[in-house]
Amino acid sequence: MALSSRLWRLLPLRRGATQSFRQLARTWGSRGHRGSEVIRNTRPFKRGLLFSALSLFGFETYQLISQAAVVHATAKVEEILEQADYLYESGETEKLYQLLTQYKESEDAELLWRLARASRDIAQLSRTSEEEKKVLVYEALEYAKRALEKNESSFAAHKWYAICVSDVGDYEGIKVKIANAYIIKEHFQKAIELNPKDATSIHLMGIWCYTFAEMPWYQRRIAKVLFANPPSSTYEEAVKYFHRAEQVDPNFYSKNLLLLGKTYLKLNNKKLAAFWLVKAKGYPAHTEEDKQIQTEAAQLLTGL
């Protein structure tokens, strides 16, 4: 309807312009031979005006079609994202990966970070071979990097880029892994800054702290040799982040419950450790990871 109305607004302009030229020709024609010259000379002008009107119509049509294409493309991306989020919440890891890999050339940051997450989730499956896992880990990093390039204001892009950088470190040696720790921390902190209500980013910052708090002595020695100020943290810092994540979104993730229990064990607080481990053991198992966490929590409780 919008396109039709624009067309009909243009048509009267062309008809009116033709009539004006005829009136002008008749006026000059009443003066003798000069009139025929005017009639002949007006033809190029009429054609020029007609072409100008058609050009304007063509440009407006192009604009409308372009806008419609953008709206359609946006609607399509939104539809894909809705499907992806539904599959993720349903634990359909392989279906989600199959859906999103169809759009791996996309320029949309929201789609790309979800693809990074899906690639990583496939890599984490127990049936994925070591060779496939390595390929998927690097693939996930590439998607996350592209997502960040497309939108540096996306907290999820920062979060998944940090996660994927961490995963790649497992294949590139202790020196690279320690060097990457600075990058990982920076992007987790940026994700939290952009979205303080994202419990997962806060949880991951807690894991970063926990990892460097329990770093083995030989790795600490290597870190001191390689870096003037090697990354470091404490269990106290870690437990603060895990609690903060629970405050933002209670019981959002079985691993956060487990790590609260494990961190309190490191701090020699068995009472609080048992409290959180019981919660982790009783957490509904929706994924393979949830089942593994239930098992680990049960083993730790037995040791208490």
Side-chain angles (χ1 to χ4, degrees):
M1 289 299 291
L3 185 59
S4 300
S5 64
R6 287 173 182 254
L7 173 60
W8 287 110
R9 285 201 300 272
L10 286 169
L11 290 177
L13 171 64
R14 284 161 29 204
R15 288 199 296 272
T18 304
Q19 289 168 1
S20 297
F21 274 112
R22 286 174 181 167
Q23 290 169 1
L24 181 61
R26 283 198 295 271
T27 301
W28 281 83
S30 62
R31 299 181 184 180
H33 181 68
R34 181 68 177 168
S36 62
E37 292 178 3
V38 173
I39 292 170
R40 285 196 301 271
N41 291 336
T42 59
R43 286 172 185 165
F45 289 105
K46 287 193 286 184
R47 285 199 300 272
L49 183 60
L50 179 61
F51 291 151
S52 296
L54 286 172
S55 296
L56 178 60
F57 170 67
F59 178 69
E60 289 204 352
T61 303
Y62 168 76
Q63 282 186 313
L64 287 170
I65 291 171
S66 298
Q67 290 168 5
V70 170
V71 170
H72 176 71
T74 303
K76 185 178 180 182
V77 169
E78 289 299 322
E79 184 180 329
I80 296 164
L81 295 180
E82 285 181 11
Q83 292 176 31
D85 290 344
Y86 173 78
L87 290 172
Y88 181 75
E89 292 298 328
S90 302
E92 297 284 358
T93 305
E94 289 170 308
K95 288 182 181 178
L96 174 60
Y97 180 72
Q98 289 167 7
L99 169 69
L100 292 177
T101 47
Q102 297 177 65
Y103 308 99
K104 61 184 179 181
E105 302 303 325
S106 173
E107 300 295 309
D108 189 277
E110 291 298 302
L111 199 153
L112 288 168
W113 72 253
R114 284 173 172 81
L115 181 51
R117 180 180 66 183
S119 300
R120 184 180 185 275
D121 285 348
I122 290 288
Q124 298 296 317
L125 294 177
S126 58
R127 57 181 171 273
T128 302
S129 69
E130 284 302 315
E131 294 78 11
E132 290 173 323
K133 181 177 180 178
K134 184 176 180 180
V135 170
L136 286 162
V137 162
Y138 279 93
E139 186 180 286
L141 176 61
E142 184 59 31
Y143 295 138
K145 183 180 178 181
R146 282 173 53 203
L148 198 56
E149 288 170 352
K150 297 303 174 186
N151 186 4
E152 289 188 353
S153 297
S154 169
F155 81 92
H158 282 279
K159 174 171 68 178
W160 286 99
Y161 179 71
I163 292 169
C164 294
V165 168
S166 177
D167 289 343
V168 165
D170 292 338
Y171 297 97
E172 299 194 347
I174 186 65
K175 183 177 180 179
V176 173
K177 193 165 187 175
I178 294 172
N180 283 347
Y182 299 99
I183 298 169
I184 294 163
K185 183 179 183 180
E186 176 190 343
H187 286 281
F188 282 151
Q189 289 178 329
K190 186 64 177 178
I192 295 169
E193 178 188 324
L194 288 167
N195 186 1
K197 296 298 182 182
D198 181 51
T200 308
S201 297
I202 301 167
H203 161 80
L204 291 167
M205 193 62 237
I207 289 182
W208 190 95
C209 295
Y210 184 93
T211 301
F212 284 98
E214 72 165 359
M215 180 184 282
W217 65 268
Y218 64 90
Q219 288 187 0
R220 290 182 190 277
R221 181 173 292 180
I222 293 170
K224 286 180 180 179
V225 170
L226 296 173
F227 304 97
N229 295 302
S232 63
S233 189
T234 64
Y235 292 118
E236 286 82 3
E237 281 185 287
V239 84
K240 284 178 184 178
Y241 278 110
F242 295 140
H243 271 298
R244 183 177 166 187
E246 284 299 313
Q247 288 167 0
V248 168
D249 191 0
N251 297 316
F252 76 103
Y253 187 24
S254 59
K255 192 169 184 177
N256 198 64
L257 303 175
L258 176 69
L259 282 169
L260 273 163
K262 291 177 73 171
T263 309
Y264 275 117
L265 278 177
K266 296 288 186 181
L267 293 169
N268 295 313
N269 190 329
K270 293 185 177 181
K271 183 177 179 180
L272 283 175
F275 174 81
W276 291 106
L277 290 173
V278 167
K279 286 177 74 73
K281 181 184 174 184
Y283 192 91
H286 298 295
T287 65
E288 277 192 29
E289 185 183 38
D290 289 334
K291 293 175 184 176
Q292 292 167 4
I293 283 166
Q294 282 182 342
T295 302
E296 186 176 354
Q299 291 172 345
L300 290 170
L301 284 166
T302 301
L304 287 175

